[in-house]
Structures are given as C-alpha cells and as structure tokens.
Amino acid sequence: MPSLRSAALMMALAAWPHAADAQPLVSRREAAVGAAVVAGTLLLDDALHGLVPQGGGTRWEGASAALNHGGRPQYALVLLGGAWTAGELSRRSEMADAALHVTAALAAGGVANGLLKYSVGRERPSTTADPLRFRPLNAQNRWQSFPSGHAVVVFSLASALSEEARRPWVTALAYGGAAMVGWSRVYDDKHWASDVAGGALVGIMAGRSVVRLLHRVDDDADPPAVTVAPGVIAVRIPVR
C-alpha cells in the first residue's frame, strides 16, 4: 500500500509545475491594503465605540434590526438555492453555475470565520470597554467578537456576486449593502469596528479567491489526471 506521505508528496509535485504559472487568486497588494485597513480601524476602536450607547443605539433600531437579517447565511442560502433551481429549470447553466460558485464562497467564508473566532477569542464591546481583551481558544459567545460573522457573510456574497456579474452597478449595490450591515453590527454594540473590517477582509478574500479558482477549474480544458505506480499515487488537478 502506498504511504500517505508519498501520496501527498506526489500530489504536490504533480500540481507544482502548473501552479507555478498561475496568477495568485488574491494579489499581495489587495491583501496588504485589506490588512492595513483592519489595523487602522483597530486604532480607532476605542473612539468609535465611545459614539455608540451601551447596548446599542435606539434611533435607528428598526433599520439596524432589518439589516441584521441580511447577515444571516440561511436567508442567503434560500435565495441561492432558488437561483440555482431557476437556472436549472430554464436551462441557463451560467445562472446555476454562478449560484453554486457564490454558495461555495459563502461556505469558505463561514469556515474561516469559525476558525478565526475561536482562535482569536476577542471580547465583545457589550461586555467590556477595552478593545484589547482577548481569550484565545474560547468557545463562549462573549469571546467571539473577531471577526464579525455578519460581515463575513455579506462581504463573501458581495465579492462573489461582483466577480460573477462583472457589472459596476452590481458591485456598488452589493458592497453598499454589505457596508450597511457592517454598520448595524457596530451600532448594535455587538462588534468593534475592526471586527467588521476584519470580517469584510475575510469575506472579500474568500469570495474572490473561491470564485476565481472555480472559474479557472471550469475553463481548463485538461481533465484531472491520476497516476498509480508502485508505492505512489499522484493526482494532478490543473488550475490555470
């Protein structure tokens, strides 16, 4: 039987020549700008939190409550399921494929969000006035502030929809709506501003990278190849 180590090594070697020629899914510049925005927002957390009443504001409570629904993934999944069904029934494969791509981006953002929340362990602003209180590897909701899950959801959707539609008005509407949802989380005293910025960064990177990767796989003319030899299993998945 081939060992797992040799199989994993050969999978990596088989993919290496093709991967070396590929452009990065997210550029270094995009990642650096995003990280700088999160770091800058972190410096403003204390001042911005001072503008929010303890427990959240009330003047825009109705609008904030409505916006919060936009950051719940179950609603997005229902809409995406409807779009996929409509695409299949009308034989519009591009619509069905786009719905699947956006769903995959949403799932990737959700996985990243869960891992970061548990690993970082940042305390929510509703229970502390100190934005630098952390308790990593804590599963209690109190220590699940960074990143904002709502922000991850809406910015995953916004970036994936923007990549799929390639229309300026779609990009403007998607990102504008996502920003409003992010504002509601700070207004409700559920998150620090940098939690929302961090969630936006995670969501945008998840949305862009997943959709771009899936398009590369869809567009590649070469099918995946499996090579079996004594002691070796090599799998090559071409990605342009």
Side-chain angles (χ1 to χ4, degrees):
M1 291 291 292
S3 69
L4 292 177
R5 180 178 297 179
S6 63
L9 177 61
M10 290 306 299
M11 288 172 66
L13 291 175
W16 174 256
H18 208 99
D21 297 331
Q23 294 296 318
L25 297 174
V26 178
S27 71
R28 292 182 180 179
R29 181 179 179 181
E30 291 172 328
V33 170
V37 170
V38 175
T41 311
L42 181 64
L43 299 175
L44 298 174
D45 272 335
D46 198 27
L48 293 174
H49 183 247
L51 301 176
V52 179
Q54 180 66 27
T58 56
R59 182 177 183 181
W60 303 101
E61 187 174 3
S64 179
L67 287 167
N68 269 283
H69 290 290
R72 296 179 180 177
Q74 58 267 37
Y75 297 117
L77 290 173
V78 170
L79 293 175
L80 289 168
W84 178 83
T85 302
E88 288 291 313
L89 292 177
S90 62
R91 296 185 179 181
R92 296 179 60 185
S93 59
E94 69 280 1
M95 178 187 292
D97 289 345
L100 290 177
H101 294 169
V102 177
T103 301
L106 181 62
V111 171
N113 174 63
L115 292 173
L116 284 170
K117 277 184 177 292
Y118 181 69
S119 301
V120 175
R122 189 184 195 185
E123 189 171 10
R124 293 185 182 273
S126 56
T127 56
T128 182
D130 183 2
L132 297 179
R133 289 195 62 180
F134 297 89
R135 189 172 294 177
L137 308 182
N138 194 302
Q140 293 183 7
N141 183 62
R142 173 181 176 179
W143 302 95
Q144 300 281 299
S145 192
F146 183 91
S148 164
H150 281 64
V152 172
V153 168
V154 293
F155 279 96
S156 294
L157 292 171
S159 58
L161 288 171
S162 177
E163 288 290 322
E164 287 291 338
R166 296 287 182 175
R167 296 289 188 276
W169 66 269
V170 173
T171 299
L173 285 177
Y175 278 104
M180 291 300 294
V181 173
W183 163 82
S184 73
R185 301 306 286 165
V186 177
Y187 184 77
D188 287 344
D189 204 27
K190 301 297 184 182
H191 286 284
W192 305 96
S194 59
D195 296 336
V196 173
L201 176 60
V202 172
I204 291 171
M205 292 185 68
R208 288 186 179 181
S209 59
V210 168
V211 171
R212 290 173 182 177
L213 175 61
L214 291 175
H215 275 286
R216 290 182 187 181
V217 173
D218 291 343
D219 294 341
D220 203 305
D222 299 327
V226 179
T227 301
V228 180
V232 171
I233 298 177
V235 180
R236 180 178 180 274
I237 303 177
V239 176
R240 289 194 297 190

